[in-house]
Amino acid sequence: MSSKRVVIHVGPGKTGSSAIQAWLNTNRDMLEEHGIMYPKHKLGSNTISSGHIDHALKNVNGKWECDSEKINQLLGKFYESSAHTLLLSSEYFFHSITEFLKLIPNAEFILYIRNPVELLESGYNQSVKRHSNIACFVPPERLEHFVWPYLDKLVSLHTAKPFIFRPYHSDLFEGGSIVSDLLSALGISYSHQPKQVNASYTFPALEYKRLLNYFFIEKYESELDALLQTYTQGESRYSLMKKESLESLNGQNVDLMANFITKHHLNHLEPLMALFKQKNDKPLLEQQKIKLTDLVAVDDFVRTKSPKLHTMLKAKVGKHRNLFIDNDIIYSVFHLEPDMSNHTAPSELVDVANKFTVHPSKRGKIMFELANMYFEKECLELAIRHASASLHFNPIT
């Protein structure tokens, strides 16, 4: 049993986990020939997956925690098998490493290091693609609360250093792809031609999706996302971050990384840090300056590829023409005009509600709850004003 090895790939997010999991899950026979047990897991229709989350974690009041019963069952099957290595993979494991080590003291963890400044924009794009984000991108002023403090605490806490840090950069992948790179960490030499999974949007596709997020399109999000990933017109290499912010954050990142490398003697990450120091040559694109013609081109693509989906999207936009949107150009894309005829609510309350950092669908609900509160307190004038604001956002039709 001492020769048995447990290796856990933990991502983190936006470091190619979808591509890794899609390949591993469909090549389990090949892995088995190399003595590696990779339990089968679900793959979505677009090959996006949460990996082995269901094999090792449980959801407790909205928080994912290690499930000792599941893990012990998994280990039992592994120890009874002829495999010498158990390989698990999920981005959800990234914040559960300490818990895993309590249950599997000899476990090793593969972590990919990606430029946290890149991750800011990549994470934002993902929030627009999959999580209905409607806000324009705003970078933070500082990086302190991002990946480096967590990694520093993690490595400092576990003196056995059960971590395999790999650089996330195409110039540094062993074998030329992230799949080949991960396999090399397992002692397997393999040449892999990468297939793009969870492709990033072009700039027009990103803005098309962001503006449509205002209109409660969750039901159609998966189909629309799959389509927009195949849209290739417009800028695919771009930045939403101004030069000043980019240079400031990148400088902070390099300083934090240098300290991390020196403190924990991880000199093999120095080539990655050198790449981080290079200037970003991606053109700056401003979201508010998206051209109508670019959005219309995306819309034509969606209509051509899926007429039924397009009809549903247009119906959604048409049903909610009273919404305040930071760029109402989206109405013109669907040949509609915004309808402000019902805007009889007190303008100051509407202005306040439009600043709420919640999804637009919740603004009317908040105003409704405030109206009920004032009614119970017998403040009838305030109750009526807030009820009017609620109707403004959620008109009775």
Side-chain angles (χ1 to χ4, degrees):
M1 188 176 295
S2 60
S3 62
K4 296 276 190 176
R5 183 185 183 197
V6 178
V7 180
I8 304 176
H9 165 246
V10 299
K14 304 307 295 179
T15 58
S17 298
S18 296
I20 287 172
Q21 291 158 6
W23 190 91
L24 294 175
N25 203 53
T26 53
N27 289 274
R28 293 171 61 248
D29 290 343
M30 181 269 218
L31 294 172
E32 189 175 336
E33 291 174 3
H34 285 81
I36 297 172
M37 176 180 172
Y38 185 81
K40 187 176 182 179
H41 56 69
K42 298 176 183 176
L43 279 181
S45 58
N46 53 2
T47 68
I48 305 302
S49 150
S50 296
H52 294 115
I53 183 172
D54 292 330
H55 291 68
L57 302 186
K58 59 183 177 182
N59 193 309
V60 180
N61 298 322
K63 181 181 178 182
W64 290 102
E65 298 179 357
C66 284
D67 188 322
S68 58
E69 184 175 343
K70 288 181 179 179
I71 291 172
N72 286 332
Q73 288 179 353
L74 192 59
L75 290 175
K77 292 179 182 178
F78 170 53
Y79 292 140
E80 291 174 1
S81 75
S82 60
H84 57 68
T85 300
L86 171 64
L87 175 62
L88 302 175
S89 175
S90 178
E91 293 175 357
Y92 286 86
F93 297 162
F94 183 62
H95 290 288
S96 300
I97 291 174
T98 297
E99 278 190 87
F100 269 110
L101 283 170
K102 292 177 182 177
L103 296 169
I104 318 174
N106 65 331
E108 302 168 57
F109 299 86
I110 298 177
L111 304 90
Y112 278 88
I113 304 295
R114 183 176 180 180
N115 190 336
V117 182
E118 285 184 3
L119 280 172
L120 291 172
E121 292 197 65
S122 182
Y124 169 77
N125 291 351
Q126 188 76 353
S127 73
V128 171
K129 290 172 67 175
R130 301 267 167 76
H131 304 292
S132 303
N133 191 3
I134 61 170
C136 289
F137 176 73
V138 179
E141 292 186 2
R142 302 201 61 79
L143 277 178
E144 280 96 336
H145 301 296
F146 288 84
V147 66
W148 296 118
Y150 175 72
L151 292 180
D152 178 52
K153 181 179 179 181
L154 198 64
V155 179
S156 299
L157 183 64
H158 301 290
T159 54
K161 303 291 188 293
F163 308 109
I164 303 169
F165 290 105
R166 301 295 307 153
Y168 182 85
H169 197 287
S170 58
D171 291 354
L172 300 176
F173 289 149
E174 291 286 341
S177 80
I178 193 165
V179 170
S180 300
D181 190 88
L182 181 128
L183 291 175
S184 74
L186 299 170
I188 301 174
S189 178
Y190 182 81
S191 179
H192 169 255
Q193 289 296 114
K195 178 182 178 182
Q196 196 165 35
V197 176
N198 193 17
S200 298
Y201 290 168
T202 63
F203 179 65
L206 180 75
E207 277 303 281
Y208 181 82
K209 177 62 167 60
R210 181 182 74 84
L211 293 172
L212 279 179
N213 284 344
Y214 275 93
F215 298 96
F216 329 112
I217 63 167
E218 290 86 350
K219 184 177 178 181
Y220 314 109
E221 196 157 45
S222 179
E223 183 181 357
L224 180 59
D225 173 42
L227 270 182
L228 293 180
Q229 287 188 49
T230 66
Y231 184 75
T232 59
Q233 301 303 307
E235 288 282 356
S236 58
R237 291 187 73 259
Y238 59 90
S239 176
L240 304 176
M241 200 180 310
K242 292 183 179 180
K243 181 181 177 181
E244 298 78 14
S245 295
L246 185 61
E247 289 180 350
S248 173
L249 291 171
N250 213 40
Q252 295 172 43
N253 175 50
V254 169
D255 288 344
L256 290 167
M257 185 176 187
N259 291 335
F260 179 74
I261 289 173
T262 301
K263 180 177 179 179
H264 300 293
H265 311 291
L266 297 169
N267 296 337
H268 73 285
L269 293 177
E270 287 185 352
L272 182 64
M273 184 171 65
L275 289 170
F276 289 174
K277 291 179 180 179
Q278 295 179 1
K279 289 187 177 180
N280 187 336
D281 61 349
K282 294 179 182 178
L284 168 66
L285 298 180
E286 298 182 47
Q287 290 172 279
Q288 293 292 340
K289 293 185 178 180
I290 183 74
K291 295 178 181 178
L292 176 60
T293 52
D294 289 339
L295 292 177
V296 169
V298 182
D299 190 63
D300 288 343
F301 174 82
V302 173
R303 186 176 66 251
T304 301
K305 293 292 184 179
S306 181
K308 183 178 179 181
L309 172 63
H310 186 269
T311 298
M312 298 296 185
L313 293 174
K314 184 172 182 177
K316 280 287 189 179
V317 176
K319 186 177 180 180
H320 299 285
R321 290 183 296 132
N322 64 312
L323 292 179
F324 280 97
I325 299 176
D326 62 65
N327 190 348
D328 62 9
I329 193 174
I330 192 67
Y331 289 116
S332 299
V333 172
F334 290 93
H335 306 288
L336 297 168
E337 292 289 337
D339 181 8
M340 303 299 168
S341 60
N342 290 327
H343 288 190
T344 58
S347 59
E348 69 276 13
L349 283 181
V350 172
D351 290 342
V352 168
N354 279 320
K355 294 177 182 177
F356 290 166
T357 55
V358 297
H359 194 278
S361 63
K362 297 180 181 179
R363 292 171 183 166
K365 174 67 173 175
I366 292 171
M367 285 295 165
F368 178 76
E369 295 296 339
L370 288 171
N372 280 337
M373 180 191 73
Y374 285 120
F375 181 78
E376 290 174 359
K377 293 179 177 291
E378 299 185 1
C379 300
L380 296 184
E381 183 178 346
L382 285 172
I384 291 171
R385 287 167 61 81
H386 283 78
S388 298
S390 175
L391 283 172
H392 163 78
F393 289 103
N394 298 110
I396 299 174
T397 57

